[in-house]
Structures are given as C-alpha cells and as structure tokens.
Amino acid sequence: MTFRAMHMLAAAFGMTLLGAAPALAQGIDAVFDQYFGYATGWFVNIIFYTFNIFGYDFPWIVGWLVAGAMVFTIYFGFVQFKMVPHAIALVKGDYSDPNDAGEVSHFQALATALSGTVGLGNIAGVAVAVGVGGPGATFWMILAGLLGMASKFTECTLGVKYRNEYDDGTVSGGPMYYMTKGFAERGLPGGKFLGVMFAIFCILGSWGGGNMFQSNQAHAQLSNVIGDYPGWITGVIFAGIVFLVIIGGLKSIASVTEKVVPFMGILYVGTALIIILMNFNMIGTAFGQIISGAFTESGIVGGAIGALIQGFRRAAFSNEAGVGSAAIAHSAVRTKEPITEGFVSLLEPFIDTVVICTMTALVIVITGQLVTDPATGMFVLDEAGEAIKTLDGSSGVALTSAAFSSTFSWFRYVLVVAVVLFAFSTMISWSYYGLKAWTYLFGEGQTKEIIYKLLFCFFVFLGATIQLGSVLDFSDAAIFAMAVVNIIALYFLMPIVKVELSSYVSRLRSGEIRKFA
Amino acid sequence: MSRKIVVGFDGSEASHRALDFATTRAKAQGDSIVIAHVLEWSPYSFLTPNELEERHKRRQEELTRAETAILAPVTAKVEAAGVPVSTVLKYGHIAETLVQIAKDEDAALIMIGRMGHSGLSSRIFGSVAGTLAQVAPVPVTIVP
C-alpha cells in the first residue's frame, strides 16, 4: 500500500514538476553533493585515517572495532558461543515470570533492536563490500559478525543495568547513561565527558547512517525499478512520511512497518536460500572464491587486506556491534537480571550479519555478478579501477537487485518494497536513538524535541537528494565515531559485566535461576 | 463443599450473561466465583522503540482501567447477590490463561459467554470457547 501510494505520488510529481525544470532539479542534486562533501570531508578524514601496514592502507577505525570485539570475546571467555542456547531459551520466554506478562519481553526487545539494525547495510552495504572487496570480504564479514556478538553483549548488559527508570514508568537507557553512572560508580573521572561526546556522535549518526544512507539507497532502488528521476522527489515524500510519524504522532504507520519488516526479512532470506539451492552446482565454486579471496590475491584493489577491510567495515556498519545504538533499544526490557538482555543481544549480530548479510553476499557471488578474466581467474576491475566489474555495471543496492533478479525477475519489485520498509524502520529506530541522545544533552521538552525531529526530517530529504559518495562516507564516519567513544567506555566498565556474568552463571548452575514451568 | 467457578469476563454482553448464570448457580449451590479478566497479549509481538519505552507505564494504566471500569462494578454486583467473589486480572492468550487461572485457583468449573463469532475470523484464529472445550482441565459451561 505504502509503496503503491508513493509510486503514484512520485509519478504525479514527475509529470507536473519535472517536465518544467529537469535541469534545475539535477542541478540541485549536484550542488548539494558538492557542498556536503566540503562540509563533512574533514570529519570523514579523521575517522577513516589510514595506517600503512605491509604496503596496504588500513583504516585505524576498523582495527579499533575488531580489537575491541576480540578483547571482549577473550575477556568473557567466548560468551558468544557458550551462551547461545541460553539466549534462545530466554527469547522463547522459558525464564520469564508469567506474572510479568504484559511487560516488554526479551523477544520484543530483540525484535525492535533488530529492525533498527536490519536495514540497507544488509542489502546495499554488503553489495558494496563484495563489489569492492570481492567474495573474500564475505569471510571477514562473518568473522567480524561473530566477534561483534561479544561487543553487543557487553554494551547491552550495561545499557539495562544503568538505565534511568522514571516515576511515570518510562525508561531511558544507552551508552550515555552507563558512561555517566557507571564511571561514577567505579570512581572514574570523565564519564560525563564521554557521555556528551557519545551523544553528539549519536545525533550525527542518526542523521547519517541511520537516516541519509537509508533514504539515499531507497531512492537508488526506487529509480532502479521505476526509472530514473531526481532524488529530491523521493526525499520530499520520505521526509513527509517520517514527519507524519515522529512529529504528527501517526503511530499506525510505525506499528505496521514494525510488523511487516520481520516478514520481509524472512522472505528475503528464504528467497536467497532458494536461489542458492537452485545454483547448487555453484556452491563449491562460490565458497572456494570466498575462502581464497579472504587470504590470497584475487585481482581486487588492496588484495586480501582490501577484502578484510571491506568485510569488517560493512559488518560493523550493518550490525552496529560496539557502536552503542543497540544498548538504547534493548534497555526497555523487563528483567531483574541486566545480563539476560546481554545474552539475548548476542543473537543480533548473528542474525543480522552471519545470516542475512551472508545471504546477500552468497547470492551475488553464486549468480556470477562479478566479472572474472577467464584466462587468469582474477577479477576484472571497472573503468574507475576501484571496484570489480559487474555484469551490468551496477553497484550497491542495484547489484543486489541484479543478482536476485537473475533468478527471479519479479524479485526486484519485492526488493524495492523490502528496501523501502527496511529503510523506513531503520529511520524510525534511529530517530529514537538520536532523540534519546538529544534529550540527554539538552533535556526533555516539547520544543527541544521538535527541533531535533524537524532536523531529522530535513536529513531524510537531503539523503535522497545527494549522491552516494559523500553520503556513504559521512554515514560511516558518524556511526564509527560513536564506536570510538563507546568502546573506550566499555573497556573501563567491562569488569562490572564480568561480575554480573560470573554471578549469573553460578546461580544458573546451582539451579537458583530456573525455568518457569 | 464450596466449589470455585472461574468466569471469563471481558465486559461484553455475553460475558455479563455468563456471570449472571454463574451467580444464580453459585448462590443455589453455595459456590464461590472467581471473575477472570484476561488482557490479550503476546510476548512475541513487534513493537516500536517508543512503544517499548512506554510499555511499563501503559501496562499500569491498562491494569488500573480494567480493575476500575470492568471488574469493580460487577464484583460489587455479585457480592450484593450474596455470593463470595474474588477477581483475577492477567495478560496472555485468553483461552490458555483462563485454563491456567482455573488450575491456580483449583476451580471446579469454567463459565464463559458465547460471543457468537462465526465465519472466517474464528476459522483462522479459533474461538476462545472452541479452544477451552479442547484444552480445559475442568468442565466448561458456555452460556449462549
């Protein structure tokens, strides 16, 4: 329904406005792109500053995220592998007190956090990773997803432990609260400073990756299917709908999206599986390319290190482990044990990255979208020399679309609905995360909140209007800046999580914590 | 010996009929009544971040509203009829929760009103009466 309405609106706009001033419309796009690049370039450069390691440029931020995930993995004794069965039991509600029925369940907290993370990173971001880094990027992406489970566990446990519960029964949680309260509890200085820094980056991230990247790629997919038209049309429509939901209080749109998104996710993974099974004779070759591309030269820019960088970068952007955003979403759960939500949140990077992202990558690889040189078996680069040449020259979301459509031509229409819905649910989630950071900085109040929300709508518009390059860079930079601050805080606060973990595990073993019959 | 009758009550016409029927029986046989109101709830539903944040608050409001608007008036009525009465207010799947309440209260009977839903919706989702008839641990009386 939503899509059809937008399609009609887009067509109507197209006929009245575009016919009159096509050149002007395209001009606005280009001008926005240019100035946006000027305005944000310095920030992007700091976050993506690269070190030269063995002759390859390695962004320090990628190392930062993976190092953090590895520290948490080792410090908590591979919690992401040991506690998965318990996490599933928690989500099923085996350990939930029936008298708490009607409160936020583990399942609901997980589902809401997931619909915030499952977005275009899974569809478009992975296509970028595989397009630039080759099939080998998939291997590193899965590894980063598995490691990231430990980061997510740490931040979500802290998010619940240090949330604010107000007299009226509402809760607010997230990194800015565990930074302030957790540091104070341990007698450490600087908690407030970190909290403020995090909140600033969270607001920027909510305008970047949680917003502009989403509307940008949704527009890319829409124009891919219904024909090229200027981005500002999508921008105006998207911003209008987001306005209705977050300012107009039209809750029904958000609720419907929240209910449809999980089914789109299942449909997406299901279709990917069918395509993989239909090309089962290619499965061996695809896995061969993924493994060999992860460790050896395969013709892509940067070789195996290039694959690693792309894989890690996209995994982090997609599952947001270590970024701190999920700690905001998970903190509303009803539980007496904060660590239970940590266990549940382990599943999030697994579902997001190890399952959904991998499906996208496999479909692109298995359907042979990436062009290889028959003589050498190496991948062929495109004219710009930056990414692997694809069958029809597409990249990003269009590449995913081409891969799925090569088997099911109708899937591009399903994908456009999925993209729009995923983009929308991610925007709604991020508008909430950003607002929490905003109220942490400026305090609560109707006018203050409306200012944030209006700015949010403006960035929805901007995201669809300007070109991929500068949007993608700024989106990543803003979200990764959150991770810089968040992981510092996690290092200082992880002993608190360790105490909770040992206490919980020993009570679980002794039978003090039991399933409700 | 005094038995307990669990009456599924949602404030509807049909549930009023069931409660009246139960009250008459209870009075005649010296039984007591447990008025059970179940708020439909699934822990596996999907909510927005805002709904999560406000859930605890909303739950309190829903419980208060159910207590004052639905349960309190009829409790007074049953008491006035001279029948011992208590109330239970719970969240959950309606039929399953009624069964659980009957077990917890060690009740001898469950009584509900027939909503008279027919056709597509009950074919797909099943009706409370139909489910109770299949899974209840005690006799079920369905009042038309």
Side-chain angles (χ1 to χ4, degrees):
Chain A
M1 273 304 272
T2 318
F3 168 61
R4 188 191 286 172
M6 285 196 304
H7 190 138
M8 281 160 54
L9 264 172
F13 263 100
M15 277 188 284
T16 52
L17 296 172
L18 289 193
L24 176 72
Q26 293 299 346
I28 293 173
D29 284 19
V31 169
F32 264 131
D33 192 28
Q34 197 183 2
Y35 281 98
F36 191 79
Y38 290 149
T40 59
W42 62 273
F43 180 64
V44 173
N45 288 340
I46 294 174
I47 296 295
F48 293 119
Y49 184 80
T50 55
F51 286 101
N52 199 294
I53 301 171
F54 306 119
Y56 294 109
D57 288 336
F58 193 88
W60 73 276
I61 185 71
V62 172
W64 172 258
L65 279 165
V66 174
M70 280 162 77
V71 168
F72 302 132
T73 300
I74 294 164
Y75 187 74
F76 294 114
F78 295 89
V79 64
Q80 68 263 55
F81 302 114
K82 285 185 190 160
M83 295 311 276
V84 167
H86 186 61
I88 293 168
L90 285 166
V91 173
K92 279 169 63 193
D94 292 354
Y95 290 88
S96 308
D97 186 343
N99 289 324
D100 280 343
E103 301 277 9
V104 175
S105 66
H106 284 299
F107 177 90
Q108 287 163 334
L110 177 68
T112 304
L114 260 177
S115 75
T117 55
V118 175
L120 292 170
N122 303 66
I123 301 176
V126 174
V128 173
V130 177
V132 177
T138 315
F139 177 89
W140 298 111
M141 194 176 69
I142 293 173
L143 184 68
L146 291 172
L147 289 172
M149 291 165 78
S151 311
K152 194 81 92 166
F153 160 75
T154 318
E155 63 193 13
C156 290
T157 303
L158 290 168
V160 176
K161 188 170 169 68
Y162 293 107
R163 63 183 168 189
N164 275 1
E165 289 182 65
Y166 302 106
D167 293 338
D168 68 354
T170 56
V171 288
S172 269
M176 49 283 182
Y177 294 100
Y178 59 68
M179 284 162 185
T180 320
K181 290 158 117 185
F183 273 57
E185 193 181 294
R186 294 207 65 201
L188 296 166
K192 183 78 189 170
F193 174 75
L194 284 177
V196 169
M197 291 301 285
F198 178 85
I200 292 170
F201 292 138
C202 183
I203 292 166
L204 291 176
S206 78
W207 288 334
N211 179 339
M212 288 202 288
F213 175 72
Q214 309 294 328
S215 64
N216 184 285
Q217 288 291 285
H219 170 70
Q221 179 60 13
L222 280 167
S223 53
N224 181 27
V225 171
I226 60 180
D228 207 18
Y229 65 96
W232 60 267
I233 296 174
T234 311
V236 166
I237 296 166
F238 265 47
I241 298 173
V242 172
F243 179 91
L244 283 178
V245 173
I246 65 174
I247 299 176
L250 209 72
K251 288 191 178 137
S252 50
I253 297 180
S255 318
V256 169
T257 314
E258 211 65 35
K259 285 169 185 61
V260 177
V261 159
F263 296 102
M264 288 310 290
I266 291 166
L267 180 65
Y268 184 79
V269 172
T271 312
L273 276 175
I274 292 170
I275 293 176
I276 292 164
L277 289 176
M278 283 169 74
N279 295 284
F280 71 96
N281 56 329
M282 289 292 294
I283 293 176
T285 320
F287 274 97
Q289 282 184 334
I290 287 169
I291 302 291
S292 68
F295 299 102
T296 57
E297 181 65 42
S298 59
I300 62 150
V301 179
I305 300 282
L308 181 146
I309 294 170
Q310 284 300 327
F312 280 176
R313 185 172 161 172
R314 287 296 124 203
F317 185 56
S318 170
N319 67 42
E320 296 166 18
V323 168
S325 50
I328 304 177
H330 280 281
S331 55
V333 72
R334 188 70 181 174
T335 177
K336 293 172 190 77
E337 304 281 348
I339 200 146
T340 54
E341 197 55 26
F343 294 139
V344 168
S345 70
L346 280 177
L347 301 172
E348 211 187 303
F350 186 82
I351 298 170
D352 179 275
T353 307
V354 182
V355 177
I356 304 181
C357 284
T358 306
M359 287 299 157
T360 306
L362 281 176
V363 169
I364 293 173
V365 175
I366 234 165
T367 56
Q369 298 298 313
L370 307 171
V371 179
T372 50
D373 182 346
T376 61
M378 293 280 175
F379 289 105
V380 181
L381 294 182
D382 61 7
E383 286 80 15
E386 285 172 356
I388 299 169
K389 193 174 172 192
T390 53
L391 282 183
D392 61 353
S394 57
S395 68
V397 71
L399 174 59
T400 311
S401 183
F404 276 86
S405 306
S406 69
T407 307
F408 299 117
S409 58
W410 48 265
F411 195 77
R412 40 196 274 167
Y413 300 106
V414 177
L415 196 66
V416 82
V417 180
V419 162
V420 169
L421 283 170
F422 285 169
F424 189 69
S425 75
T426 303
M427 283 188 224
I428 297 297
S429 294
W430 274 91
S431 75
Y432 178 79
Y433 303 156
L435 184 65
K436 286 284 124 186
W438 183 270
T439 55
Y440 173 81
L441 285 182
F442 303 113
E444 302 190 10
Q446 198 131 39
T447 324
K448 291 171 188 161
E449 291 180 18
I450 292 219
I451 293 172
Y452 169 79
K453 289 171 177 175
L454 281 173
L455 284 165
F456 190 88
C457 293
F458 174 68
F459 280 96
V460 174
F461 163 75
L462 212 58
T465 306
I466 58 185
Q467 298 305 309
L468 181 65
S470 54
V471 180
L472 200 63
D473 286 344
F474 178 70
S475 303
D476 285 11
I479 287 195
F480 286 146
M482 292 165 68
V484 175
V485 186
N486 187 42
I487 290 180
I488 293 176
L490 294 183
Y491 285 145
F492 282 106
L493 299 176
M494 64 186 188
I496 296 174
V497 181
K498 183 96 164 188
V499 173
E500 297 262 332
L501 179 63
S502 340
S503 152
Y504 186 86
V505 170
S506 68
R507 279 179 292 148
L508 194 62
R509 288 219 182 102
S510 74
E512 192 186 327
I513 295 169
R514 272 196 298 263
K515 290 186 185 187
F516 284 87
Chain B
M1 178 199 150
S2 167
R3 302 176 308 167
K4 274 185 183 173
I5 304 172
V6 168
V7 181
F9 187 80
D10 63 359
S12 65
E13 274 290 302
S15 68
H16 273 286
R17 287 197 297 274
L19 186 60
D20 291 344
F21 182 78
T23 312
T24 322
R25 295 293 133 135
K27 194 165 182 176
Q29 298 163 4
D31 296 338
S32 64
I33 287 181
V34 178
I35 306 177
H37 180 57
V38 181
L39 295 144
E40 179 87 62
W41 172 258
S42 164
Y44 308 113
S45 55
F46 300 100
L47 304 176
T48 62
N50 256 324
E51 288 171 323
L52 289 190
E53 178 187 318
E54 292 174 350
R55 186 60 222 156
H56 184 65
K57 181 181 164 189
R58 294 268 172 270
R59 182 175 184 268
Q60 297 304 328
E61 290 168 2
E62 285 163 11
L63 289 174
T64 314
R65 197 183 319 136
E67 189 68 54
T68 52
I70 296 178
L71 290 176
V74 287
T75 311
K77 197 173 128 192
V78 177
E79 258 171 3
V83 175
V85 62
S86 60
T87 59
V88 180
L89 183 51
K90 275 190 189 297
Y91 277 89
H93 179 273
I94 294 175
E96 283 169 14
T97 311
L98 284 176
V99 166
Q100 193 56 48
I101 293 170
K103 282 181 187 160
D104 292 347
E105 295 282 335
D106 202 15
L109 270 173
I110 298 176
M111 291 193 185
I112 54 163
R114 188 175 70 196
M115 294 302 287
H117 285 312
S118 58
L120 195 60
S121 69
S122 55
R123 223 167 252 282
I124 295 172
F125 302 111
S127 65
V128 174
T131 314
L132 273 181
Q134 286 177 334
V135 301
V138 294
V140 179
T141 305
I142 298 161
V143 181

